[in-house]
Amino acid sequence: MFNEIMREIENADGPVAMKELAKKVGVAESALPGMLEFLEKKGRLSLIRAGEWEQCQVTVCEACALTRWCAEGGKEGDK
Amino acid sequence: MASDNKPVTVALSGNPNAGKTTIFNNLTGGRQHVGNWPGVTVEKKEGTTRFDGSELRVIDLPGTYSLTAYSLEEVIVRDYVTLENPDLVVDIVDASNIERNLYLTTQLMELGVHVVIALNMMDVATARGINIDIELLSELLGIPVVPTVGLRNRGTEELKSTILSTVKGVARFRDIKVNYGKDIEEEISKLQQAIEQDERVSEEFLGNYSSRWLAVKLLEEDEKVEEDLSKYSEPGSALFKQVEASRGHLFSVFSEDIETVIVDNRYGFVAGVVREAVEREFEEPITLSDRIDRILTNRVLGFPFFALFMWLMFFLTFFLGKYPMNWIDHLMRGLGNLINTNITSPAWLQSMLVDGVVGGVGSVLVFLPQIFIIFICISILEDTGYMARAAFIMDRIMHWLGLHGKSFIPLLMGFGCNVPAVMATRTLESDKDRMITILVNPLMSCTARLPVYALFTAAFFAAHQGTVTFSIYLLGIILAIAMAKLFRRFLFPGESEPFVMELPPYRLPTLKGTFIHMWERGSMFLRKAGTVILAGSVVMWILSYLPPGVEYGSGASLAGKIGHVLEPLVKPLGFDWRAAVALLFGFVAKEIVVSTYGTLLGVGENRAMISSGLNQFFTPLTAYGFMAFTLIYTPCLATIAVIKKETGSWKWTAFAIGYSLLLAWIVAFVIYRVGLLLGLRG
C-alpha cells in the first residue's frame, strides 16, 4: 500500500485530495494520515500540516516586519 | 493474573482524541491522582474503582498512534505494558476513525497482553453512517469489543464487567496475529527460536516480552529494543547473527526497508478487518472547498489564476492607493511649507529639515497607503486559505527545479520581508534545499522595494503602474527559478522527496482580522521610516550639503564625488552617478533608494517634482532597468545579517551578495542593450 501511495503522489498532476488518494489506493481515508506520517518518518515524503507553512523561524519577533505572518509572531515578543 | 484480593491493574491506551480521558473519568469517578511518569514531564493519571467485589486500578497511558520508539509517549506506553505487566489493556478506539485507531490495536495484540477494545464515540460513528458489526469485529480481532459513548457515560458498566471477565479468563480471547506473509513469518520463527535458545535472554530478558513481538521489533530495527537486548546478548552472539541474516534475507526479497513492509502488512490487516466488519451508509459529500479547489488548483488553470490574483493585487494597490497617497502628499507639502515659513535661519537647519527629513522620509511615507493595501491583499489571500494553495500550485515548478515543495513557503514569505523568510528555511530538512532557498530568497521582491517601483512607475509608466510592477515581481520569480535550477545543477546536486500538504478549508476573512493583520505589518514600515530611513536621509543630506558652499546635491558635493567614483560601474546600464549613490545607500534598506532621490533632488517630498527630476536622469527604458537592478542586487543589511546567521558561513554570505550584484548588473545591462536595439530611447 505504501508503494501505491508514493506512486499516486509522485505521479499526480496536481494536488490530490485525501479522499481521492484513499479511493485510489483502496484504504479508508481515516487510515491515510497515519500511513503518511509513517512515510514521513521514513523520509520518503514530508508533511506540511495546516498552518505550518505560515510559521517562520524568527527568534526575535520585534525584528520582523510580518509579526502575523508566523503563527506565534507578535504574541509573546521575543521567542 | 490478579488474585481475588489483589487489585486488577488496567492500563488505558489509545490514540490522541479517542476519548481516553473521558473513559478514564467514567471508570474511576473522582478517585484518581495525578503525577508524572518517572524521569519525564508527561502526566501520569491513576485511579481506582470497585466492581463486582474486585478493585480495579486504572492507569491512563499517554495517547499514541503506535508503539514504535519514535516518540516519548510511544516509549512510555510500550515500556509500561511490557515492563509493568498490567493485567489488561483497554484500548480506546474512536469508532468514527476506526481504521487509524485499529493500527495501535494490532501492536498491542502483538505484545501478547490481554486487550479489550472500548469502541468509543459510537454516536458520532452512527451519525456519520458508519455501521460496525461489533460481534464480527471482536471475532476477527480475537478480543472483546465493548461499544461506549464516553461523553454520555454509556457502556462503562459493560466495560468494567468485560474487563473482569477477561482477566478471570471467562470472556472470549483468541490469539490472533497479523500475518506478515511467508517470507517474514519464516524469519520471525527463526528469530523466535534464536531468542528462546539464548539462555540469558530467555531467562532474564524475555520475561517481559513476547518472543514474537521481540522478533518483529528486531526485524524492524527498533533501536531501543536492540539497545535493551544488547545488555543480555553480545553483538556477535548466535541471536544477533540470526538478526543480521534475517534482515539481509528479507532485504534481498523485498528490496526495501523491512519496517515499511511490516507496517504495510499491519495496515493491510486493519484494512481487511474494516472491510469485513464496517459498513458505510453513505460517502462523505464533496465540500465547497473541494469544488473550489478543482478550479483554483487545477493543473491547467491553477497557475493562470495565481498570476491573475497577483496582478489584481498590484492593480488594486496602485488604483486605490493613489487617493490617500495624494492626501499624504499634501500633508507633507504643508509641513515643508510650514518649516520654510517658520524656520528661516540658519539656512542649513532649514535645508536639513526640508530637503533631508521631509524630503527623505516624506518621499517614502507617501507610499504608506500602497504598502497598507498590499498587506490587506496578502492578508485576504492568506486568511481565505488561498496562499496555502499557492504552495501547491508552485510545487510542480519546485520539483522541476529539484527543490522541495516546502521551499515555496519561505519564498512566498519573501514577498513580505526576506528576513523572516530566510529564517523560515529552517523548516527544510535538507541542507542543500535550505541553502538554495536562502540564496534565491532575496529575489522575491519584498515590500521594502515597493516604494521604489511606485516612484518609478508613477514617473514613467503612470498608465500601467500595476502591470509594470507585476512584471518586476514576475521577473524576480523567474530569476529565482532560474538561479535555483543553476544552484541545484552545479552547487548543490541532489533530489528532493515529494510533500503532502494539509489544506485548510476556504474561509471568509473577517474585516477586523484583515485590518489587524494589515496594521501589524504596515506599522513596522512606519517604525522603519522613523528610524533607518530618517537616519539614512540625514546622512544623505549631509553628503549632499557638504562641503560648504557647493550647490546642494550637485556633482561637487560629497554625494556627487562618491557617485562619480561609482559611475563607471553603472554607466553601461544607462544610469548616472545619482543612481550609483541611491543604490549604494539602498544597501542599508531598499526604501532609502527613494529617500535618497527625495534628498538629492532637493525638492522636498513633492512627488511631481521628484518625478520631473527623475525624468532628467532616466528614460522609461533605464527606469525599468533601474527597478530590475533594485529588485535583484545585494539584499538589504538585515537580510545579509540573517543569511550569515542561518548559513553560518561568511563564504556563502559573500556569495549571496556577489552573485546578486553580478546578476543585477547583467539583467539591467541586457534590458538596456536589448531596449536600445529595439529602438527605445536610452
Side-chain angles (χ1 to χ4, degrees):
Chain A
M1 278 194 286
F2 285 130
N3 288 335
E4 283 168 56
I5 291 173
M6 288 307 298
R7 228 183 346 261
E8 286 297 335
I9 292 171
E10 280 163 352
N11 298 337
D13 282 341
V16 191
M18 292 283 249
K19 235 172 270 175
E20 288 170 35
L21 184 60
K23 206 179 268 179
K24 280 180 182 167
V25 296
V27 297
E29 192 188 338
S30 79
L32 263 184
M35 300 174 89
L36 295 174
E37 275 163 25
F38 176 77
L39 288 169
E40 186 187 33
K41 281 173 189 165
K42 284 283 157 192
R44 291 177 67 177
L45 53 77
S46 61
L47 286 174
I48 303 174
R49 277 93 185 164
E52 186 189 326
W53 76 277
E54 291 174 338
Q55 291 174 16
C56 82
Q57 304 294 315
V58 175
T59 47
V60 185
C61 295
E62 279 300 300
C64 175
L66 302 168
T67 46
R68 164 57 179 70
W69 203 285
C70 66
E72 293 168 57
K75 288 175 191 162
E76 295 166 9
D78 291 5
K79 282 190 223 167
Chain B
M1 201 75 38
S3 65
D4 282 346
N5 51 6
K6 195 182 153 206
V8 174
T9 306
V10 179
L12 293 192
S13 75
N15 285 191
N17 304 317
K20 206 160 49 58
T21 306
T22 317
I23 297 284
F24 175 78
N25 291 336
N26 292 346
L27 284 174
T28 60
R31 302 176 67 191
Q32 48 182 268
H33 66 267
V34 181
N36 275 351
W37 289 94
V40 291
T41 52
V42 179
E43 190 180 84
K44 180 187 183 184
K45 281 205 287 190
E46 201 177 318
T48 55
T49 184
R50 287 200 74 81
F51 185 78
D52 208 12
S54 298
E55 187 177 350
L56 301 180
R57 181 175 158 246
V58 187
I59 316 290
D60 188 14
L61 298 173
T64 175
Y65 292 107
S66 78
L67 293 182
T68 47
Y70 285 117
S71 74
L72 185 62
E73 285 77 11
E74 289 173 348
V75 173
I76 289 173
V77 174
R78 201 165 90 174
D79 282 355
Y80 182 80
V81 175
T82 54
L83 303 177
E84 302 290 326
N85 289 320
D87 295 304
L88 184 135
V89 176
V90 174
D91 181 24
I92 318 290
V93 168
D94 173 1
S96 65
N97 206 0
I98 190 165
E99 297 86 352
R100 182 168 203 189
N101 283 238
L102 283 182
Y103 182 76
L104 177 67
T105 314
T106 61
Q107 292 189 290
L108 289 168
M109 286 159 59
E110 215 153 54
L111 275 171
V113 289
H114 279 170
V115 181
V116 166
I117 289 181
L119 196 58
N120 198 27
M121 302 194 196
M122 283 297 289
D123 52 340
V124 180
T126 308
R128 288 187 191 167
I130 303 169
N131 294 327
I132 303 170
D133 184 333
I134 310 282
E135 275 292 309
L136 185 57
L137 183 66
S138 170
E139 182 78 27
L140 292 169
L141 295 171
I143 51 182
V145 178
V146 182
T148 59
V149 181
L151 282 176
R152 292 181 191 168
N153 201 6
R154 281 193 203 147
T156 310
E157 297 306 301
E158 291 86 335
L159 183 59
K160 286 180 186 173
S161 163
T162 310
I163 290 169
L164 277 185
S165 55
T166 306
V167 171
K168 287 174 181 166
V170 180
R172 181 184 54 204
F173 187 88
R174 286 196 305 133
D175 191 15
I176 302 263
K177 294 181 183 76
V178 175
N179 189 321
Y180 291 111
K182 187 174 158 287
D183 294 296
I184 296 178
E185 287 296 338
E186 271 175 19
E187 297 310 312
I188 291 174
S189 293
K190 285 181 198 168
L191 277 172
Q192 278 184 279
Q193 232 175 346
I195 290 165
E196 282 152 17
Q197 279 167 4
D198 189 311
E199 221 167 275
R200 203 170 155 219
V201 169
S202 63
E203 279 173 17
E204 296 176 37
F205 183 68
L206 192 57
N208 299 320
Y209 302 96
S210 112
S211 63
R212 180 178 169 84
W213 181 79
L214 203 56
V216 172
K217 285 289 139 192
L218 286 169
L219 287 179
E220 284 182 312
E221 299 186 36
D222 187 298
E223 284 176 15
K224 182 143 192 321
V225 164
E226 270 183 52
E227 190 189 313
D228 290 346
L229 190 65
S230 62
K231 290 173 193 159
Y232 300 89
S233 189
E234 293 296 313
S237 67
L239 171 56
F240 273 109
K241 278 182 185 158
Q242 182 57 53
V243 171
E244 286 310 310
S246 294
R247 283 178 188 165
H249 171 69
L250 291 177
F251 188 78
S252 68
V253 172
F254 294 104
S255 304
E256 74 172 316
D257 164 67
I258 306 307
E259 189 189 4
T260 306
V261 182
I262 288 174
V263 173
D264 208 352
N265 273 293
R266 280 195 201 115
Y267 275 113
F269 174 81
V270 171
V273 169
V274 169
R275 242 192 317 272
E276 293 289 320
V278 181
E279 221 180 59
R280 282 170 202 277
E281 282 176 21
F282 45 82
E283 291 274 319
E284 275 188 58
I286 294 166
T287 62
L288 182 63
S289 279
D290 290 336
R291 288 178 208 276
I292 297 172
D293 271 342
R294 281 187 187 165
I295 301 165
L296 293 188
T297 60
N298 178 277
R299 191 186 184 193
V300 182
L301 300 173
F303 196 80
F305 267 115
F306 176 64
L308 175 72
F309 290 141
M310 293 273 287
W311 177 84
L312 203 61
M313 182 166 82
F314 295 117
F315 171 76
L316 287 175
T317 298
F318 291 109
F319 179 73
L320 299 176
K322 63 187 174 196
Y323 304 104
M325 211 171 147
N326 285 336
W327 304 334
I328 298 180
D329 202 16
H330 284 301
L331 196 75
M332 289 293 160
R333 213 174 299 170
L335 186 65
N337 289 339
L338 198 72
I339 295 168
N340 267 333
T341 319
N342 293 295
I343 305 173
T344 48
S345 67
W348 66 265
L349 182 65
Q350 186 196 45
S351 172
M352 188 183 79
L353 291 175
V354 177
D355 300 327
V357 178
V358 178
V361 179
S363 62
V364 177
L365 271 186
V366 289
F367 298 109
L368 189 66
Q370 290 170 336
I371 300 278
F372 275 127
I373 292 169
I374 207 164
F375 278 135
I376 288 181
C377 294
I378 290 173
S379 290
I380 291 172
L381 288 176
E382 195 183 289
D383 292 353
T384 51
Y386 180 75
M387 276 299 200
R389 269 83 183 170
F392 244 143
I393 294 160
M394 295 304 285
D395 181 46
R396 208 173 300 119
I397 296 172
M398 292 289 121
H399 256 284
W400 178 73
L401 298 176
L403 267 181
H404 197 288
K406 250 185 182 178
S407 295
F408 187 63
I409 295 162
L411 291 181
L412 259 182
M413 289 174 69
F415 284 132
C417 175
N418 295 134
V419 174
V422 169
M423 287 178 169
T425 59
R426 286 181 200 172
T427 53
L428 298 170
E429 286 84 10
S430 154
D431 284 345
K432 289 179 178 178
D433 283 348
R434 193 162 176 241
M435 197 60 97
I436 296 174
T437 313
I438 287 175
L439 289 175
V440 301
N441 205 299
L443 293 170
M444 308 309 283
S445 193
C446 66
T447 44
R449 284 169 252 196
L450 191 65
V452 182
Y453 310 147
L455 178 71
F456 279 79
T457 52
F460 298 96
F461 310 97
H464 307 285
Q465 270 193 287
T467 309
V468 172
T469 306
F470 171 65
S471 75
I472 290 284
Y473 273 72
L474 207 59
L475 176 68
I477 296 172
I478 292 167
L479 286 171
I481 288 172
M483 294 316 291
K485 188 84 181 160
L486 273 178
F487 294 152
R488 172 61 85 197
R489 175 88 173 76
F490 297 106
L491 296 177
F492 307 102
E495 292 257 323
S496 273
E497 76 266 28
F499 83 121
V500 172
M501 189 170 178
E502 192 184 341
L503 292 178
Y506 285 104
R507 299 157 297 215
L508 269 180
T510 63
L511 199 64
K512 188 183 168 193
T514 305
F515 275 90
I516 287 173
H517 301 158
M518 174 206 75
W519 175 250
E520 281 172 345
R521 294 166 181 175
S523 60
M524 195 66 201
F525 177 79
L526 266 178
R527 263 179 277 168
K528 209 170 169 187
T531 52
V532 181
I533 297 167
L534 175 65
S537 301
V538 172
V539 170
M540 186 44 62
W541 174 83
I542 293 169
L543 293 175
S544 307
Y545 194 80
L546 295 176
V550 297
E551 189 190 341
Y552 179 84
S554 68
S557 66
L558 285 178
K561 283 176 182 163
I562 295 169
H564 282 299
V565 171
L566 297 172
E567 194 176 26
L569 294 173
V570 295
K571 198 83 186 159
L573 315 178
F575 308 157
D576 73 343
W577 66 265
R578 292 168 191 83
V581 175
L583 291 170
L584 177 70
F585 282 86
F587 173 73
V588 178
K590 298 275 167 122
E591 299 95 327
I592 293 183
V593 171
V594 172
S595 66
T596 299
Y597 272 108
T599 312
L600 264 180
L601 292 170
V603 289
E605 63 61 61
N606 190 322
R607 268 188 308 131
M609 289 179 76
I610 295 176
S611 288
S612 71
L614 288 176
N615 269 296
Q616 295 169 40
F617 320 121
F618 289 97
T619 63
L621 175 63
T622 54
Y624 195 85
F626 186 80
M627 286 191 286
F629 197 101
T630 308
L631 161 78
I632 307 162
Y633 91 113
T634 315
C636 71
L637 211 54
T639 308
I640 289 170
V642 84
I643 289 176
K644 163 69 184 68
K645 190 172 164 237
E646 295 302 311
T647 59
S649 153
W650 279 114
K651 186 186 94 179
W652 286 114
T653 309
F655 178 80
I657 298 169
Y659 104 81
S660 56
L661 258 178
L662 185 66
L663 183 67
W665 196 93
I666 292 170
V667 172
F669 182 80
V670 170
I671 290 171
Y672 183 54
R673 294 294 153 185
V674 170
L676 288 180
L677 283 175
L678 293 174
L680 299 175
R681 193 163 61 87

